Amino acid sequence: MKKKIIAMILASAMALSLAACAGTGSAPAAPAAGGDAAPAAEAEGGDAAPAAGDIQAIWKAAADEADDAVPGENDDRAFKKFDHVVEVHYGYQIDPVDTTLPEGDTVDNNQYTRYLLENFNIKMVCDWTAGNNSDFAQKVSLAIASNSLPDAVIAPNRNYLVQAARADELADLSTVFNDYASKQVKQIVETTGTRAFENGSVDGTFVALPNITVDTDGVYIYFIRQDWLDQLGIEVPKTAAELGAAAKAFKEAGLSPDYAIAGIDAGGRTYSNFLNSSNNGYGFDALYQAFNATPGYFLRDENGELYWGTTTDEMKAALECLHQWYADGLINPEIGVTTNGDNANGVKNGTCGIFMGPWWSLGYGNGDSFRNDPNADWQAYPLYTEDGEWNIHMKDIGTTYTMVNKNASDEVKEAIVIINNVLVRDESIFDTSVAIAWYPLRNTMAAADECEYEYENLMSILAGEATADEYQIGGDKFNGLYKNTANDAATLRDVISEDYDPANILHVTDCDVMTNNGQFNRFYAIFVGDRPYATIEPNKKIYSELYYTIDGMETYWTTISDLEDAEILKFITGARSLDEWDQFCKDWHVQGGDQVLELVNEFLK
Amino acid sequence: MANKNSSVKGRTRSTGIAYWIMVLPGYIWLFMFSIVPMVGIVMAFQDYNPSKGWFGSKWVGMKWFEYLLVIPDAKRALVNTLIIAVSKVVLNIVIPLVFALLLNEVKNMKFKKAVQTIVYLPHFISWVILANIITNMLGANGILNLIMKTVGHEPVLLMTMPQYFRQLLIGTDVWKEFGYNAVIYLAALTGISPNLYEAAAIDGASKWQSVWHITIPGLIPTIVLLTTLAMGNVLNAGFDQVFNMYNQLVMSTGDILDTYVYRVGITNMQFSLATAAGLFKSVVSFVLVVTSYVLANKFADYNIF
């Protein structure tokens, strides 16, 4: 009897453990629902109108649209207020270490979401969040695989968009975007020619609001504590060797007791590749460039042969330099291991004096650094090659996409377009001391040269060549395309001291950090972070031959990108000797790299 | 056995239904989450595309399995899985056993209960939390390196060293679970009749002899049972632990089949390849469970079912 009971209990325990074992097998089974729905929908779409989804066919040019309502106001099209509350569900990536959100506010109840609710009757409901890039990407991918996308979510790169579109989970946004995009948004879209339309379309249907970012998002420079350089009497480093020497001096002088150069968090890459060609904070992109290496890009040699940017001798030389730095204790020893933004701790608490990234890494990116020490004089400089050239790699027009669930109602679709319009128009009047990243579904749209335009025009105001009033709405120099200029011009003197002489570079000591902290962050990013790209003409601009994956490439790409991500980091830390570099290159090519190059070559013909 | 059964036949029938009702929820769960999703196995033999579904996707036969065999990552994951999981299985049987035997000899009941409760607690901390605690403890500014610094040693970053990562995984897992596993042995120990010990003592057996000739044989059924059940886990190196603790630097020794399947299937959306890898794992686990069941039956004369 007793035995029997035990046997029963064990049998059920077995059953349970079997169920647990099979857990991994069951997850991928979910997409069935999405698959079943597909054929029916295709038939519908096909019957209705042959050109459905082709946004270029129906596009009404920005010039033909009526002017938008002024910031803060409503109109009846792009900035209409719904007569009842429209709920928009979304999934969103948040910054787990952000400290700017006031106590009690949440991802879907903060000053930005309340603004949308009060002025437009749009209620944001956040279904799920993720704290870092890879977690977010995984959640999006799961949502696609299980056909459970919220009303709107941002695709981390084009692969997710294509996957979701081919699974027929996305709404056709061509009509609603044409009807409701603001004049300003349309102007920005038109500055890209047809690139934005193409980016937002999959198989001819416009299924996503493409992200259109400033070019300088993909231009990498290095950041250094100028006050420390001055204290130690070191010239501004121009080359990798000089930068290494400065880092060593920082460490020896005790300014950087732990490490002098910050690195990436776990799951990050030390360089941005063709899929994520911009905004790689804390990577070493600037250094690779200084060795003429363009890792992660599809490039052509002088004979027109396609090759992969990582498996090159230049890359090996760059890695030798990085490994030396690592061995000397200059780079964060926990590079690639820290989690949840801990990689930035040294920069924020004033113990690390060097890091790399795009323009916004200063100000927007390291605001805590100035709040902790208002005299932390971070400056941005390009890193040149030994020959004195500044060769930069250029990004895709945008990397991310706002995808809308196919089952979203028309009102929800309109709301999503309006949310984007509002961000583009009103970002300048928001109090951005609460990080703008808390704006729901923020998927930036900006003219490619916005930062450089602002740099020049705001500098001319500082130099007394123009007045802030000329940039206000109705003023001579007002230009709706450069959406933030009016407000920036008006608030310039909140931050920058009257004593500042525009003939010199801007220092943190010329600024008032705390009075208007949001604008301080922005001005510091523009005047210091973007100064290299705004004032120095690069010698070469390097584009990838391709910025997204193509059919047939995914399987190989999975394998080789995994290999690349793990091995590059190991070469840096010395877990793998660079003597094995040739073996790595061979492995990369054999394990699928050759097939990928062949596919891409064929595709580009 | 047969006699016993027939003598209580009448009772078995009525109480049998009660037992079936007791296991029913387990079986429903099993059916819903393990049997039904098995249909998804077809994806392993297809070039699966979510929009075409199981019926529309192209059949590719064994392509993905062949591909798995040539990908170094998959092989590496298999080797890591075997090393990590086998070590965990063995240590999670041996260490709790030794611990239970030692604790059993403790005569102070308060102390015994206190120790038992304390070592039992880590079992209830989820890996998400524990992995972060461990990562921080072993980090550059963690307690380990603070001690290293005070004794004037160079900092040691264990989480970046592939050569120690497996040991770290195994060690932390055993640390977390041994108290919990020991409970089963402690229960079995109380089931051994004190008469046997008394008889042995009268016959002049030493402490060691009575452990060897009474306690261990008394525990054999439990050991066999736990071993057999553990065999099903021989390819389960513990997804939640590894996933929360590993990073790119320790991938070479830390990547296991489950994390590999996760990265391939969920992160990179290679559903077919991931299903193939998952199916491969399940088949191997199934063979191992059946084998160990047969072996337990043959050599230890113990029927689990």
Side-chain angles (χ1 to χ4, degrees):
Chain A
M1 195 56 233
K2 203 171 171 188
K3 210 161 183 188
K4 197 124 200 200
I5 299 175
I6 294 174
M8 281 292 191
I9 294 171
L10 283 177
S12 43
M14 266 315 246
L16 288 175
S17 64
L18 269 176
C21 290
T24 45
S26 58
D36 291 344
E42 263 165 34
E44 276 172 23
D47 287 347
D54 180 5
I55 189 159
Q56 295 187 52
I58 55 170
W59 187 250
K60 185 176 170 193
D64 302 335
E65 293 285 3
D67 283 346
D68 294 327
V70 296
E73 300 292 319
N74 291 104
D75 60 23
D76 52 6
R77 191 182 71 91
F79 295 95
K80 75 169 176 179
K81 182 172 185 174
F82 290 95
D83 53 12
H84 58 274
V85 172
V86 175
E87 268 194 20
V88 177
H89 290 256
Y90 67 117
Y92 205 45
Q93 180 177 344
I94 56 168
D95 176 3
V97 291
D98 175 87
T99 55
T100 62
L101 200 67
E103 192 74 28
D105 277 6
T106 60
V107 59
D108 55 7
N109 180 18
N110 56 51
Q111 59 168 3
Y112 302 117
T113 59
R114 287 190 291 269
Y115 182 81
L116 288 172
L117 183 60
E118 281 155 22
N119 295 288
F120 302 94
N121 257 336
I122 298 170
K123 183 172 169 52
M124 302 306 297
V125 182
C126 190
D127 288 353
W128 47 262
T129 60
N132 63 43
N133 291 336
S134 53
D135 285 353
F136 180 72
Q138 280 151 9
K139 282 206 169 169
V140 173
S141 153
L142 261 183
I144 296 170
S146 57
N147 194 9
S148 58
L149 285 172
D151 288 333
V153 74
I154 294 175
N157 67 41
R158 195 176 164 84
N159 284 4
Y160 297 86
L161 175 70
V162 172
Q163 191 80 18
R166 298 256 167 93
D168 198 37
E169 293 177 22
L170 299 186
D172 174 357
L173 297 178
S174 52
T175 321
V176 70
F177 188 64
N178 183 49
D179 291 351
Y180 287 92
S182 66
K183 180 171 183 157
Q184 199 179 21
V185 165
K186 288 193 163 192
Q187 282 175 330
I188 294 171
V189 167
E190 286 169 4
T191 59
T192 69
T194 57
R195 287 282 300 283
F197 297 137
E198 286 156 14
N199 264 21
S201 300
V202 175
D203 301 332
T205 305
F206 187 76
V207 285
L209 307 188
N211 159 234
I212 303 169
T213 56
V214 292
D215 274 343
T216 181
D217 270 358
V219 176
Y220 294 102
I221 50 223
Y222 78 90
F223 310 107
I224 195 161
R225 285 287 294 265
Q226 183 69 47
D227 46 337
W228 293 2
L229 284 177
D230 295 345
Q231 184 187 330
L232 300 173
I234 303 172
E235 284 284 300
V236 171
K238 282 192 149 64
T239 63
E242 290 171 17
L243 185 61
K248 202 171 252 178
F250 285 177
K251 209 173 168 195
E252 278 161 7
L255 294 164
S256 294
D258 297 326
Y259 55 88
I261 304 170
I264 51 164
D265 240 355
R269 283 195 188 87
T270 60
Y271 49 86
S272 47
N273 64 13
F274 72 106
L275 280 176
N276 296 80
S277 54
S278 58
N279 292 331
N280 190 30
Y282 292 91
F284 295 137
D285 302 78
L287 180 104
Y288 295 121
Q289 276 166 206
F291 282 85
N292 275 326
T294 315
Y297 265 30
F298 289 104
L299 305 166
R300 283 190 196 282
D301 63 15
E302 56 272 29
N303 302 322
E305 281 303 310
L306 192 73
Y307 71 96
W308 180 240
T310 308
T311 54
T312 59
D313 293 343
E314 289 85 0
M315 185 64 183
K316 186 185 177 186
L319 288 172
E320 269 162 1
C321 171
L322 283 170
H323 172 57
Q324 193 53 49
W325 287 2
Y326 187 87
D328 292 345
L330 303 180
I331 296 179
N332 183 356
E334 291 189 285
I335 178 173
V337 180
T338 51
T339 49
N340 297 329
D342 281 351
N343 63 334
N345 285 351
V347 169
K348 289 179 179 171
N349 67 23
T351 60
C352 170
I354 298 169
F355 69 111
M356 301 174 201
W359 67 288
W360 51 261
S361 305
L362 288 188
Y364 285 120
N366 71 340
D368 284 342
S369 184
F370 303 105
R371 279 192 287 272
N372 291 334
D373 176 5
N375 295 316
D377 192 21
W378 286 98
Q379 292 296 332
Y381 301 105
L383 202 57
Y384 297 91
T385 64
E386 289 294 331
D387 305 334
E389 287 190 353
W390 187 35
N391 300 329
I392 56 171
H393 91 81
M394 301 297 291
K395 66 173 194 52
D396 196 6
I397 63 157
T399 304
T400 56
Y401 300 85
T402 307
M403 310 191 288
V404 179
N405 189 314
K406 185 180 164 187
N407 300 321
S409 69
D410 286 343
E411 276 184 340
V412 168
K413 287 185 216 168
E414 289 163 20
I416 290 163
V417 175
I418 290 172
I419 291 166
N420 182 57
N421 294 339
V422 173
L423 174 67
V424 173
R425 188 192 68 176
D426 293 353
E427 180 173 347
S428 61
I429 60 164
F430 290 147
D431 166 19
T432 51
S433 64
V434 174
I436 188 73
W438 292 105
Y439 189 90
L441 293 170
R442 176 170 177 262
N443 196 15
T444 3
M445 284 195 181
D449 62 346
E450 184 184 280
C451 292
E452 293 77 57
Y453 172 89
E454 288 224 354
Y455 181 92
E456 280 159 29
N457 288 277
L458 296 178
M459 270 297 177
S460 72
I461 298 175
L462 287 176
E465 293 155 12
T467 64
D469 292 340
E470 291 176 89
Y471 289 92
Q472 303 310 311
I473 294 173
D476 290 348
K477 298 194 168 161
F478 175 77
N479 184 343
L481 184 56
Y482 300 101
K483 53 206 184 344
N484 294 324
T485 319
N487 182 57
D488 286 348
T491 53
L492 207 46
R493 286 297 172 197
D494 289 358
V495 173
I496 293 169
S497 144
E498 296 283 354
D499 300 333
Y500 169 62
D501 173 7
N504 302 326
I505 62 173
L506 184 77
H507 293 281
V508 71
T509 42
D510 298 317
C511 306
D512 179 345
V513 177
M514 290 317 294
T515 307
N516 189 345
N517 187 250
Q519 282 303 95
F520 163 77
N521 287 342
R522 178 167 176 80
F523 289 139
Y524 212 74
I526 291 172
F527 287 130
V528 181
D530 197 42
R531 186 180 57 229
Y533 191 59
T535 58
I536 302 168
E537 183 61 29
N539 295 69
K540 237 185 282 168
K541 290 184 174 179
I542 302 160
Y543 291 85
S544 179
E545 294 289 321
L546 188 73
Y547 285 103
Y548 47 89
T549 56
I550 52 173
D551 288 346
M553 175 171 158
E554 297 93 341
T555 312
Y556 302 119
W557 172 247
T558 303
T559 308
I560 55 177
S561 66
D562 237 26
L563 174 80
E564 192 171 313
D565 291 348
E567 297 305 307
I568 294 293
L569 207 52
K570 275 158 75 178
F571 284 125
I572 294 175
T573 64
R576 189 169 178 188
S577 161
L578 273 158
D579 297 340
E580 293 179 41
W581 177 253
D582 291 341
Q583 183 60 41
F584 161 73
C585 295
K586 207 175 123 203
D587 288 347
W588 189 89
H589 284 277
V590 172
Q591 288 175 26
D594 284 338
Q595 283 95 331
V596 167
L597 284 172
E598 202 172 303
L599 280 164
V600 172
N601 204 20
E602 202 55 39
F603 177 80
L604 292 174
K605 264 179 191 170
Chain B
M1 191 82 183
N3 280 340
K4 218 175 163 188
N5 265 354
S6 60
S7 70
V8 290
K9 211 173 177 184
R11 267 170 56 204
T12 322
R13 192 167 293 160
S14 58
T15 47
I17 295 169
Y19 294 138
W20 279 112
I21 292 171
M22 278 168 66
V23 295
L24 191 63
Y27 275 103
I28 293 175
W29 191 63
L30 176 72
F31 181 75
M32 293 295 291
F33 291 100
S34 286
I35 309 290
V36 174
M38 270 193 210
V39 185
I41 288 171
V42 296
M43 297 195 310
F45 305 96
Q46 290 178 331
D47 195 353
Y48 180 75
N49 177 334
S51 60
K52 291 181 188 151
W54 295 336
F55 302 104
S57 295
K58 202 173 89 194
W59 292 91
V60 293
M62 301 298 280
K63 176 182 160 188
W64 298 113
F65 294 92
E66 285 161 20
Y67 187 67
L68 267 181
L69 290 177
V70 298
I71 306 177
D73 281 13
K75 273 186 273 186
R76 184 181 75 184
L78 179 63
V79 171
N80 288 337
T81 307
L82 276 173
I83 295 174
I84 295 168
V86 170
S87 313
K88 278 188 185 173
V89 164
V90 172
L91 291 176
N92 272 327
I93 289 168
V94 175
I95 291 187
L97 175 62
V98 173
F99 176 76
L101 288 175
L102 291 175
L103 196 63
N104 198 41
E105 298 301 323
V106 174
K107 292 289 170 265
N108 182 342
M109 279 311 277
K110 266 192 186 157
F111 177 71
K112 188 177 168 180
K113 290 284 170 208
V115 170
Q116 201 179 330
T117 311
I118 290 168
V119 297
Y120 188 79
L121 282 177
H123 171 75
F124 294 100
I125 308 175
S126 90
W127 273 117
V128 179
I129 295 164
L130 200 55
N132 272 304
I133 295 175
I134 292 169
T135 314
N136 276 316
M137 278 170 62
L138 302 181
N141 297 314
I143 187 146
L144 175 75
N145 282 311
L146 286 182
I147 296 170
M148 288 287 185
K149 260 181 218 165
T150 26
V151 300
H153 194 282
E154 283 288 296
V156 177
L157 296 171
L158 274 180
M159 297 300 283
T160 66
M161 298 176 158
Q163 64 270 39
Y164 298 125
F165 191 66
R166 283 188 200 132
Q167 291 88 316
L168 193 65
L169 289 175
I170 297 161
T172 50
D173 185 66
V174 171
W175 172 80
K176 182 174 185 286
E177 299 298 336
F178 84 94
Y180 181 77
N181 292 334
V183 169
I184 302 171
Y185 290 115
L186 287 169
L189 281 170
T190 58
I192 299 173
S193 166
N195 295 345
L196 293 174
Y197 292 105
E198 280 164 27
I202 291 167
D203 287 347
S206 69
K207 194 92 205 169
W208 176 248
Q209 278 171 323
S210 59
V211 166
W212 189 251
H213 292 287
I214 301 169
T215 316
I216 301 277
L219 288 178
I220 287 281
T222 316
I223 297 172
V224 171
L225 170 73
L226 288 177
T227 313
T228 311
L229 287 178
M231 288 310 273
N233 281 328
V234 87
L235 283 185
N236 268 344
F239 173 79
D240 38 357
Q241 181 193 12
V242 179
F243 181 71
N244 283 300
M245 282 174 70
Y246 79 162
N247 56 63
Q248 284 168 346
L249 286 171
V250 293
M251 211 64 128
S252 55
T253 55
D255 194 22
I256 57 170
L257 279 176
D258 292 321
T259 47
Y260 176 73
V261 168
Y262 181 77
R263 283 206 315 281
V264 171
I266 305 300
T267 316
N268 292 311
M269 296 184 277
Q270 298 297 300
F271 302 121
S272 287
L273 184 59
T275 312
L279 179 60
F280 169 73
K281 191 191 130 184
S282 301
V283 169
V284 176
S285 300
F286 179 74
V287 170
L288 286 170
V289 174
V290 171
T291 316
S292 58
Y293 172 74
V294 171
L295 289 179
N297 189 11
K298 203 168 173 181
F299 294 109
D301 196 23
Y302 186 82
N303 271 326
I304 291 175
F305 303 112

